[in-house]
Amino acid sequence: MKHIKRRERESSEIRRKIIEAARSLFLNQGYAEVSMRKIADQIEYSPTTIYHYFANKEAVVRELLLEGNTLFLQALQQREQEGRAAGLNALDMLKTVSDAYVRFGTANPEYYNILFISNLESVSLVSLFDSGRFKGFELLEAGLKAAMEEGCIIQGDVRLIARSVWSMLHGLTSLLLNFEFPMAKSNDELIAFTIDTFLRGLSR
Amino acid sequence: MKHIKRRERESSEIRRKIIEAARSLFLNQGYAEVSMRKIADQIEYSPTTIYHYFANKEAVVRELLLEGNTLFLQALQQREQEGRAAGLNALDMLKTVSDAYVRFGTANPEYYNILFISNLESVSLVSLFDSGRFKGFELLEAGLKAAMEEGCIIQGDVRLIARSVWSMLHGLTSLLLNFEFPMAKSNDELIAFTIDTFLRGLSR
Amino acid sequence: MKHIKRRERESSEIRRKIIEAARSLFLNQGYAEVSMRKIADQIEYSPTTIYHYFANKEAVVRELLLEGNTLFLQALQQREQEGRAAGLNALDMLKTVSDAYVRFGTANPEYYNILFISNLESVSLVSLFDSGRFKGFELLEAGLKAAMEEGCIIQGDVRLIARSVWSMLHGLTSLLLNFEFPMAKSNDELIAFTIDTFLRGLSR
Amino acid sequence: MKHIKRRERESSEIRRKIIEAARSLFLNQGYAEVSMRKIADQIEYSPTTIYHYFANKEAVVRELLLEGNTLFLQALQQREQEGRAAGLNALDMLKTVSDAYVRFGTANPEYYNILFISNLESVSLVSLFDSGRFKGFELLEAGLKAAMEEGCIIQGDVRLIARSVWSMLHGLTSLLLNFEFPMAKSNDELIAFTIDTFLRGLSR
DNA sequence: AATGAATGAGTATTCATTCAT
DNA sequence: AATGAATGAATACTCATTCAT
């Protein structure tokens, strides 16, 4: 193991297969079902092989977490840039980024689960502040600050408000993922309505 | 099992110990960590003894779920009645019941987890519509309908709006339970701010 | 327990229920499925109650064995007497008693299993020579002796021949019980053919 | 499991130890007593190790069953060829193959039990018609057909007669295995006498 | 680079049985 | 006469992991 350059190991094809298998198990069967042996079976390697690429199960899950973070941030940032390119005002920016948040969650349930729902104590080593969820949070805080400066929302403690917005977005996403039930209206309408309502509440 | 008198069994002290141990494990370590053996260890009885009181693990968890439902509903209804007694208008009723929801969750994290976060597929036998979470939902719909009639909130699809409110409350609660991080303001302020903001968004 | 007269205990209604439940479990699910708890469940008493009537599981099974013996012997003897009443000759007597043997087995699979197939080591305490199967065997030996004296079958070691006949009857019965498979002819024909053929082989 | 080379696994020494231990438990204590733990104890490995070689308990027993089938058939076929080489007539062929059947059973009680006595419902996956007992049965049917054509036994439904012969052989074997009791004559004499008598009954 | 071998600890559940009442 | 309480030992099976090769 020692003579292999870190780079090569990390970009190994098997390494990718491993975390893809883990992700798929996570998605289809839940965290409890992600076992080293099941991953190994899925990629048709021996369980031992996994230990060649990851120190232990936690490391696999952590990788998944990091990957999810990256993709999550990318999704938010891309929509932000699109908004900026379209010349949106601060309020509409908030709206579009909020929408991006929920879309990411519903489109990538396995990642959203890993990031925000499963209480991965075993992975809490990844300290909260390293974790990309807080980069996403900073992005949100920045957006709110801008909106305050533009005068389109109320003045107030930015962190408090950001957390409040996040709560609304998280609740929306996680109920969509876990408790769908019959509604006359579509999920899209629910998403739009909830975000709009909350932001209207914030507006001056 | 039929030969045992139900009454005596259900009021047994050990029975209580069992579900309390289960509840505590649930709270501290998550569903996956609730094992019959661990429960037994905690109450200092043999694992077999648990089977004297519950048919299997699912029965233990189901009991916990039912208990949580009952307490949750009671909490909401009590606050509703207090509000009614205090002669609150429809909007303030919504506010107070919303507050009760979040308070229940933060005060009873183990129950809130069982009810709304852990995806207890194994216990899904307790059909969704019997389950108290939907009684709570009906209570919310009724409150919204009243507020619409009083003209203090916008007109709209009651079910959609109820789900929207629930999303906000659930997000608030579950982030409080799982992701506390430093804020200048207190959790109480966050709760009040979030509920107020959302309801302001709903107001005419 | 001590103050109860043996007679009463043995004729108790619950005692009967217990062994009937055991018999039914034996029949429907096989020996491995006869458990004290299952018996108790079936009769709707507590498992402990069974120990009021039987020292342990072995005692229950032993009782079943004794009962099977009795019934088995009765079946053979009744047919013998009927044959005698009908004035059958020695060879026809052998035939009719042989038929009775197989009929008993196929009509009472649970008893036949207990008596001759399940290797109830735990019950082997009931010494072979007390066991009624040997009374049945004596009956067979007597029949053969009579047939020899009448000159309708070959002379020979009676015990050897009796064991030989028994082998044929047991094979017939136990394959009927455990390995039915498609045949153009009926089981009745198979039984008659096998007994006839064997006895023809014995005839002079 | 797919990632392990089948060849190496199947020829493993431990694999052999496992099934030998299982066979011995089967013989000495009956099917119900074959437990993974007991096998492990006997070979002085951990129970987990067994799962390295067999998917589950059923797989162990199935292997035993298949092995028994193979050996059983080989025993019958070998004697048949010897008979053919010796130029035996059809009736003597029946005799010698019958003898081979009983010899196999008494020489390999554990296999005979697995094949014809224990009711291995759990292993019934191995469909009856694949199973060697039916290949053995076909061999018997063929022998009878030949004997009919040679005119040395009565004409009749071959399947019925084959089943009848099988019954006799099975009864002989299984009583020899399970109920030995004092006789002046030897088991060999019993076997020869029973087979001869039955076949005499079949002769013209 | 990959894996076969091996395991200790754990999972839910069932069993026959004892004992005090 | 009947049972509630309790248990130690067993069941099949899964898990993450280590180690020598």
Side-chain angles (χ1 to χ4, degrees):
Chain A
M1 200 158 157
K2 287 161 206 154
H3 61 284
I4 300 163
K5 285 169 205 152
R6 224 171 152 272
R7 281 275 189 65
E8 289 177 12
R9 272 238 311 300
E10 291 194 350
S11 61
S12 147
E13 191 204 348
I14 293 188
R15 196 184 166 83
R16 280 242 44 85
K17 279 188 183 172
I18 291 168
I19 81 130
E20 255 153 39
R23 176 153 53 89
S24 130
L25 285 168
F26 220 123
L27 172 58
N28 297 320
Q29 307 174 258
Y31 178 68
E33 297 309 306
V34 180
S35 88
M36 296 303 253
R37 192 199 281 227
K38 282 182 187 168
I39 295 173
D41 279 356
Q42 194 149 317
I43 62 176
E44 299 196 299
Y45 279 87
S46 93
T48 323
T49 301
I50 301 178
Y51 288 90
H52 209 55
Y53 296 88
F54 295 92
N56 49 32
K57 185 181 171 181
E58 185 194 314
V60 177
V61 178
R62 183 164 49 228
E63 178 102 347
L64 226 42
L65 185 66
L66 294 174
E67 191 175 282
N69 267 338
T70 305
L71 293 176
F72 177 58
L73 259 186
Q74 283 177 351
L76 295 191
Q77 288 169 336
Q78 186 185 333
R79 278 286 277 281
E80 197 197 22
Q81 280 167 13
E82 287 171 11
R84 214 174 290 289
L88 297 187
N89 64 23
L91 195 62
D92 285 339
M93 282 294 287
L94 282 173
K95 230 177 252 193
T96 204
V97 173
S98 293
D99 184 72
Y101 180 109
V102 182
R103 299 289 165 198
F104 177 85
T106 54
N108 304 280
E110 72 280 28
Y111 284 129
Y112 194 81
N113 249 286
I114 296 169
L115 287 169
F116 297 116
I117 299 184
S118 304
N119 215 351
L120 300 182
E121 317 106 42
S122 66
V123 190
S124 64
L125 312 177
V126 179
S127 100
L128 286 180
F129 282 91
D130 291 351
S131 119
R133 4 183 215 239
F134 288 80
K135 293 225 189 77
F137 193 78
E138 287 161 21
L139 204 144
L140 179 55
E141 284 189 327
L144 286 168
K145 215 172 285 177
M148 279 186 202
E149 281 159 12
E150 273 196 21
C152 52
I153 66 166
I154 57 173
Q155 301 293 322
D157 181 312
V158 172
R159 170 152 290 200
L160 177 92
I161 301 179
R163 170 96 192 199
S164 186
V165 174
W166 183 25
S167 293
M168 177 268 296
L169 294 174
H170 172 65
L172 193 47
T173 310
S174 68
L175 287 188
L176 281 169
L177 291 184
N178 296 308
F179 292 97
E180 13 185 353
F181 66 56
M183 267 194 314
K185 307 288 183 163
S186 69
N187 286 344
D188 283 356
E189 285 171 294
L190 174 65
I191 296 170
F193 177 83
T194 306
I195 293 175
D196 285 353
T197 301
F198 196 85
L199 292 183
R200 188 175 328 122
L202 276 184
S203 304
R204 296 189 110 166
Chain B
M1 220 154 160
K2 286 161 205 152
H3 52 277
I4 296 160
K5 283 165 208 154
R6 251 174 128 259
R7 281 273 187 66
E8 290 175 11
R9 270 293 203 56
E10 292 192 350
S11 61
S12 149
E13 191 205 346
I14 293 192
R15 195 185 168 86
R16 280 240 50 83
K17 279 189 183 170
I18 291 168
I19 80 130
E20 256 152 38
R23 180 151 53 88
S24 129
L25 284 167
F26 225 123
L27 172 58
N28 298 320
Q29 309 177 256
Y31 176 69
E33 297 309 307
V34 180
S35 89
M36 297 304 253
R37 194 184 288 205
K38 282 181 186 167
I39 294 173
D41 281 355
Q42 192 149 320
I43 63 174
E44 298 196 298
Y45 279 88
S46 86
T48 322
T49 299
I50 301 178
Y51 288 91
H52 206 50
Y53 296 88
F54 295 91
N56 48 37
K57 184 182 171 180
E58 187 193 313
V60 176
V61 178
R62 183 166 49 229
E63 179 105 345
L64 227 41
L65 185 66
L66 293 174
E67 197 174 277
N69 266 338
T70 305
L71 294 175
F72 176 59
L73 260 185
Q74 281 176 355
L76 295 191
Q77 286 168 337
Q78 187 186 332
R79 278 286 277 281
E80 197 197 22
Q81 278 167 15
E82 287 170 14
R84 214 175 288 288
L88 297 187
N89 64 22
L91 195 63
D92 285 339
M93 281 294 287
L94 283 173
K95 229 177 255 192
T96 202
V97 172
S98 292
D99 183 71
Y101 181 109
V102 182
R103 298 289 165 198
F104 176 86
T106 54
N108 305 278
E110 72 280 30
Y111 284 128
Y112 194 81
N113 250 286
I114 296 168
L115 287 170
F116 297 115
I117 300 183
S118 305
N119 217 350
L120 298 183
E121 313 109 40
S122 68
V123 190
S124 65
L125 311 177
V126 178
S127 103
L128 283 180
F129 282 91
D130 293 352
S131 118
R133 18 186 203 231
F134 288 80
K135 293 226 188 75
F137 194 78
E138 287 161 21
L139 206 142
L140 179 55
E141 284 190 326
L144 286 168
K145 216 172 283 178
M148 279 188 202
E149 279 160 15
E150 274 195 22
C152 53
I153 67 167
I154 58 173
Q155 301 293 322
D157 181 312
V158 172
R159 171 151 290 199
L160 177 92
I161 302 179
R163 171 96 193 201
S164 186
V165 174
W166 182 24
S167 294
M168 175 266 297
L169 294 174
H170 173 65
L172 193 47
T173 311
S174 69
L175 287 189
L176 281 168
L177 292 184
N178 297 307
F179 294 96
E180 8 184 359
F181 65 60
M183 270 194 313
K185 308 286 183 163
S186 68
N187 285 344
D188 283 355
E189 284 171 296
L190 173 65
I191 296 169
F193 177 82
T194 306
I195 294 174
D196 284 353
T197 301
F198 196 84
L199 291 183
R200 186 173 333 117
L202 276 185
S203 304
R204 304 188 102 165
Chain C
M1 202 159 158
K2 287 161 206 154
H3 61 286
I4 298 163
K5 285 166 206 152
R6 221 170 155 274
R7 282 272 189 67
E8 288 175 14
R9 272 239 309 302
E10 293 195 350
S11 62
S12 148
E13 192 205 347
I14 293 188
R15 197 184 165 83
R16 279 242 47 84
K17 279 188 183 171
I18 292 168
I19 80 130
E20 255 154 39
R23 178 153 53 89
S24 129
L25 285 167
F26 221 124
L27 173 58
N28 297 321
Q29 305 175 258
Y31 177 70
E33 297 309 305
V34 180
S35 89
M36 297 302 254
R37 192 200 278 227
K38 281 182 186 167
I39 295 173
D41 280 355
Q42 193 149 319
I43 64 174
E44 299 197 297
Y45 278 86
S46 93
T48 325
T49 300
I50 302 179
Y51 288 89
H52 209 54
Y53 296 89
F54 295 92
N56 49 33
K57 185 183 173 183
E58 184 194 316
V60 177
V61 178
R62 183 164 50 228
E63 179 102 346
L64 225 43
L65 184 66
L66 294 174
E67 191 175 281
N69 268 337
T70 304
L71 293 176
F72 177 57
L73 258 186
Q74 282 176 354
L76 296 190
Q77 287 168 337
Q78 186 185 334
R79 279 287 277 280
E80 198 197 21
Q81 279 167 13
E82 287 170 12
R84 214 176 289 289
L88 297 186
N89 64 22
L91 195 61
D92 285 340
M93 282 294 289
L94 283 173
K95 231 177 252 191
T96 205
V97 173
S98 293
D99 184 72
Y101 181 110
V102 183
R103 298 291 164 196
F104 177 85
T106 54
N108 304 280
E110 73 280 27
Y111 285 130
Y112 195 82
N113 249 287
I114 297 170
L115 287 169
F116 298 115
I117 299 183
S118 304
N119 216 350
L120 300 182
E121 316 105 43
S122 66
V123 189
S124 65
L125 312 177
V126 178
S127 100
L128 285 180
F129 283 91
D130 291 353
S131 119
R133 14 185 206 233
F134 288 80
K135 292 224 189 77
F137 193 76
E138 286 160 20
L139 203 143
L140 179 54
E141 285 189 326
L144 285 168
K145 215 171 284 180
M148 278 186 201
E149 281 160 13
E150 272 195 22
C152 52
I153 66 166
I154 58 173
Q155 301 294 321
D157 182 312
V158 172
R159 172 151 288 198
L160 177 92
I161 302 179
R163 172 96 192 202
S164 186
V165 174
W166 183 24
S167 294
M168 177 266 298
L169 294 174
H170 173 64
L172 194 47
T173 310
S174 69
L175 287 189
L176 281 168
L177 292 183
N178 296 309
F179 292 96
E180 10 187 356
F181 66 57
M183 269 194 313
K185 307 288 181 160
S186 69
N187 286 346
D188 283 355
E189 284 171 296
L190 174 65
I191 296 170
F193 177 83
T194 306
I195 294 175
D196 284 352
T197 300
F198 197 84
L199 291 183
R200 187 173 331 120
L202 276 185
S203 301
R204 301 188 104 167
Chain D
M1 221 155 158
K2 287 163 205 152
H3 52 279
I4 296 161
K5 284 165 205 154
R6 250 176 129 257
R7 280 275 186 67
E8 290 174 14
R9 270 297 202 55
E10 292 194 350
S11 61
S12 149
E13 191 205 347
I14 292 191
R15 196 185 165 86
R16 279 242 48 86
K17 279 190 185 171
I18 291 168
I19 80 132
E20 256 152 39
R23 180 152 52 88
S24 129
L25 284 167
F26 224 123
L27 172 58
N28 299 319
Q29 308 177 257
Y31 176 68
E33 297 309 307
V34 180
S35 89
M36 298 304 253
R37 192 185 288 205
K38 282 181 186 169
I39 294 174
D41 282 355
Q42 192 148 319
I43 63 174
E44 298 197 297
Y45 280 88
S46 87
T48 322
T49 299
I50 301 179
Y51 288 91
H52 205 51
Y53 296 88
F54 295 92
N56 50 33
K57 184 181 171 182
E58 188 193 314
V60 177
V61 177
R62 185 166 47 230
E63 179 106 343
L64 227 41
L65 185 65
L66 293 173
E67 197 174 276
N69 266 337
T70 304
L71 293 176
F72 176 59
L73 259 185
Q74 281 176 353
L76 295 190
Q77 286 168 337
Q78 186 185 333
R79 278 286 278 280
E80 197 198 21
Q81 280 168 12
E82 287 170 12
R84 214 176 289 287
L88 297 186
N89 64 24
L91 194 62
D92 285 339
M93 283 292 289
L94 283 173
K95 232 177 253 191
T96 204
V97 172
S98 293
D99 183 72
Y101 181 109
V102 182
R103 298 292 164 196
F104 177 85
T106 53
N108 304 280
E110 72 281 29
Y111 285 129
Y112 195 81
N113 250 285
I114 296 168
L115 287 170
F116 298 115
I117 299 183
S118 305
N119 218 351
L120 299 183
E121 313 108 41
S122 66
V123 189
S124 63
L125 311 178
V126 179
S127 101
L128 283 181
F129 284 91
D130 292 352
S131 119
R133 16 184 205 236
F134 288 80
K135 292 223 189 78
F137 194 77
E138 286 160 21
L139 204 142
L140 179 55
E141 284 189 326
L144 287 168
K145 215 173 284 178
M148 278 186 202
E149 280 160 13
E150 275 195 19
C152 52
I153 67 165
I154 58 172
Q155 302 292 322
D157 182 314
V158 172
R159 171 151 291 199
L160 176 91
I161 301 179
R163 172 96 192 201
S164 185
V165 174
W166 182 25
S167 293
M168 178 266 298
L169 294 174
H170 172 65
L172 193 48
T173 311
S174 69
L175 287 189
L176 281 169
L177 291 183
N178 296 308
F179 293 98
E180 10 186 356
F181 65 58
M183 268 194 313
K185 307 289 182 160
S186 69
N187 286 345
D188 283 356
E189 285 170 296
L190 175 64
I191 296 169
F193 177 82
T194 306
I195 294 175
D196 283 352
T197 300
F198 196 85
L199 291 184
R200 188 175 329 121
L202 276 185
S203 303
R204 295 188 109 167

